[in-house]
Amino acid sequence: MAAVEQLTEEERTTWLRALPKWSLARDGAAIERKFEFADFAEAFSFMTRVAIMAEKRDHHPEWFNVYNRVEITLTTHDAGGLSLRDVNMAKKIDALV
Ligand SMILES: C[C@H](O)[C@H](O)[C@H]1CNC2=NC(N)=NC(=O)C2=N1
């Protein structure tokens, strides 16, 4: 796969404005968002939809689930930090909820 470029600090700031529900994590190397659903079935349904999308895009979330809560962290391992792939994925995830 072609190398994926890490976002510069300026690009990070700009892109994050378009993702108000996500915050920078790991010293700018990742973004994260917490989700809360009615129950486990709703949370897992959401996770299933994210998983299918992740496979299609070959870009996979780091996540944590307890009952109705899901926490998602996006980072690009191939870039060693945040890339446009994370920003695009976050937008797609936002559109699912
Ligand atoms: C070999 C495979 O295509 C790569 O490792 C993909 C898979 N999914 C990935 N997911 C994420 N979040 N970052 C990556 O760099 C990444 N790379």
Side-chain angles (χ1 to χ4, degrees):
M1 194 196 281
V4 191
E5 297 268 337
Q6 234 184 80
L7 294 179
T8 65
E9 196 172 335
E10 198 183 337
E11 285 170 331
R12 282 204 301 258
T13 310
T14 308
W15 284 113
L16 256 283
R17 274 192 217 117
L19 298 170
K21 292 179 175 159
W22 294 77
S23 44
L24 277 177
R26 296 184 198 166
D27 280 333
I31 49 174
E32 62 185 17
R33 180 179 169 187
K34 294 179 164 70
F35 301 83
E36 203 172 307
F37 299 90
D39 52 26
F40 179 73
E42 293 273 323
F44 199 72
S45 154
F46 165 72
M47 291 174 78
T48 305
R49 284 176 286 142
V50 172
I52 291 166
M53 196 170 82
E55 271 295 276
K56 274 194 197 133
R57 305 168 80 85
D58 193 29
H59 198 62
H60 300 88
E62 296 176 22
W63 53 12
F64 176 79
N65 161 244
V66 176
Y67 184 53
N68 65 334
R69 287 190 292 121
V70 180
E71 298 175 13
I72 297 185
T73 302
L74 299 175
T75 185
T76 303
H77 309 120
D78 296 347
L82 204 60
S83 78
L84 264 188
R85 298 186 77 191
D86 303 304
V87 171
N88 292 333
M89 181 118 173
K91 283 187 193 157
K92 290 277 179 187
I93 290 173
D94 280 353
L96 290 178
V97 291

